[in-house]
Amino acid sequence: MPTIYVTRKIPDIGLAMLRGKGFTLDVSEKDGVLTKEELLGALRKRSYDGVLCLLTDTINAETFAAVPSAKIFANYAVGFNNIDVAEAKKRGVTITNTPGALTNTVAEHAMALIMAVATRTAEGDRLMRSGKWGGWGPMQLLGADLKGKTLGVLGAGRIGSRLAFHCQKGFEMNVIYYDVKQNTEFEKETGAKFCATPEEVLKEADVVSVHVPLLDSTKHLINAERLKLMKKTAYLVNTSRGPVVDEAALVEALKSGTIAGAGLDVYESEPKTAPGLTECENAVLTPHIASATETTRGEMARLAAENLIAFFDGKTPPNLVQ
Ligand code: NAD
């Protein structure tokens, strides 16, 4: 039966499914991300048939070479920018991910960030805890309403379109979007207007939410120049991947009032943040937890296990990347 290396403990449901099918699992005992040396060292220990890896693991030519027996890397994430997919293809290694399971959860987290930054929830929370609140005031911590405002989605795939659904149906917001592919189904569902360029979205939207995958073409999609196109009253929300936004440029924009605020779940060099970001009162920051609900993390574990089980049954895994 297949022997799988699991790079970090994930919810039991996935591990139990694999063990139930007779798989042998070696699960990393480290309570944290394996360093490159630790990962390569662990993979070289045994002729693993497959690897269950995380978005925090860099999977490239060196990794594949450390475990040439492994014919599948099942990523416990929908994003797979941590994996050199072209290299996997060259070596005939199968890659899978966990799409769908986290769509609504991440969209809800993006909604939470939008609401937190617009209603100044985190600032209010900090004020309460500081013991410095002097009581109700007519001009205190004034935020912005969402009703009737325009949401601009960059990347209207699964998560982007779900967020638009929440914003349009729940908050009566208008929706505009830019994507490399026009999505007419999404337009019908939310009344979204397609914009031919990201610039158009940035100029028009009151809230810009980013949902593109991290690719060479999307690195620093939001840069200093594009931040300047946004309204001074607008908010930027990023739950996609950190490098999609030039974080240093964003800090500058937050400090100078180029935009009103930002809600971020992802960062360019996690777990670090760009100098000055944590001092920006107008930024709401969460530690890459957009998919972190009990149900969704369990569902992701189930999908990753399903992919491995299908592969070793000689079937096409349900969530094949390549
Ligand atoms: P998806 O593939 O369904 O949607 C991505 C969309 O982006 C697609 O419609 C695609 O056409 C579009 N796109 C690709 N390149 C583009 C470009 N250059 N410009 C504009 N649009 C472009 O993916 P999804 O399931 O919606 O997930 C989106 C991303 O969210 C993932 O790739 C992942 O990196 C990130 N994510 C983050 C978390 C988190 O915990 N914060 C959780 C899940 C996913």
Side-chain angles (χ1 to χ4, degrees):
M1 285 310 278
T3 304
I4 308 292
Y5 186 71
V6 183
T7 65
R8 193 164 177 179
K9 173 125 179 47
I10 60 164
D12 281 333
I13 178 174
L15 304 180
M17 279 169 70
L18 292 167
R19 289 195 178 110
K21 288 275 177 189
F23 286 51
T24 301
L25 305 182
D26 281 353
V27 183
S28 164
E29 280 171 12
K30 183 175 175 184
D31 184 21
V33 180
L34 295 175
T35 63
K36 179 182 158 191
E37 288 67 34
E38 287 169 339
L39 177 61
L40 295 177
L43 294 177
R44 284 188 190 116
K45 277 196 187 135
R46 220 165 153 172
S47 295
Y48 291 107
D49 300 298
V51 178
L52 198 162
C53 56
L54 274 57
L55 61 93
T56 39
D57 302 317
T58 300
I59 309 297
N60 56 19
E62 219 178 342
T63 330
F64 295 130
V67 59
S69 50
K71 292 294 167 234
I72 176 167
F73 279 65
N75 212 33
Y76 178 76
V78 61
F80 46 84
N81 51 284
N82 57 310
I83 302 180
D84 185 340
V85 176
E87 184 64 31
K89 189 170 186 176
K90 217 160 69 185
R91 292 171 183 259
V93 176
T94 294
I95 305 294
T96 61
N97 65 345
T98 62
L102 31 65
T103 298
N104 189 64
T105 306
V106 178
E108 285 185 6
H109 193 83
M111 195 71 238
L113 289 174
I114 293 171
M115 292 192 71
V117 70
T119 63
R120 304 184 69 172
T121 308
E123 282 176 87
D125 183 78
R126 285 194 289 275
L127 179 61
M128 292 304 295
R129 289 167 199 273
S130 74
K132 291 181 187 153
W133 183 46
W136 187 88
M139 303 300 282
Q140 195 176 62
L141 287 179
L142 300 183
D145 293 302
L146 295 176
K147 186 178 173 187
K149 298 278 172 59
T150 298
L151 169 76
V153 175
L154 296 176
R158 286 174 291 252
I159 299 169
S161 52
R162 185 67 186 160
L163 171 71
F165 176 87
H166 292 318
C167 287
Q168 203 273 320
K169 306 285 180 216
F171 292 85
E172 299 173 65
M173 294 178 77
N174 307 308
V175 180
I176 60 174
Y177 77 105
Y178 167 73
D179 194 299
V180 285
K181 287 179 279 184
Q182 189 166 355
N183 183 342
T184 47
E185 202 48 49
F186 165 61
E187 289 171 20
K188 257 189 253 157
E189 195 182 33
T190 59
K193 181 187 95 175
F194 178 68
C195 297
T197 63
E199 281 78 9
E200 220 178 297
V201 171
L202 291 162
K203 280 183 200 162
E204 211 179 308
D206 299 296
V207 178
V208 174
S209 196
V210 186
H211 300 283
V212 295
L214 175 58
L215 307 166
D216 289 343
S217 60
T218 57
K219 180 159 193 255
H220 286 187
L221 176 71
I222 304 295
N223 56 20
E225 221 169 279
R226 286 190 167 144
L227 284 163
K228 284 189 194 125
L229 298 175
M230 290 176 67
K231 296 178 185 175
K232 278 195 183 326
T233 50
Y235 304 108
L236 177 76
V237 170
N238 186 17
T239 55
S240 66
R241 286 287 182 263
V244 173
V245 174
D246 179 341
E247 209 171 296
L250 176 61
V251 170
E252 203 38 53
L254 290 168
K255 283 186 171 166
S256 61
T258 302
I259 64 171
L264 305 177
D265 183 52
V266 288
Y267 307 89
E268 270 203 88
S269 307
E270 296 177 7
K272 295 195 180 114
T273 53
L277 181 64
T278 54
E279 285 114 59
C280 293
E281 284 290 328
N282 52 352
V284 179
L285 309 174
T286 54
H288 205 149
I289 52 165
S291 72
T293 65
E294 197 90 45
T295 311
T296 292
R297 288 287 166 86
E299 188 58 12
M300 288 163 67
R302 198 183 62 73
L303 288 185
E306 258 181 22
N307 285 321
L308 286 163
I309 291 167
F311 179 82
F312 288 106
D313 269 354
K315 298 182 189 136
T316 303
N319 308 115
L320 188 67
V321 171
Q322 100 75 34

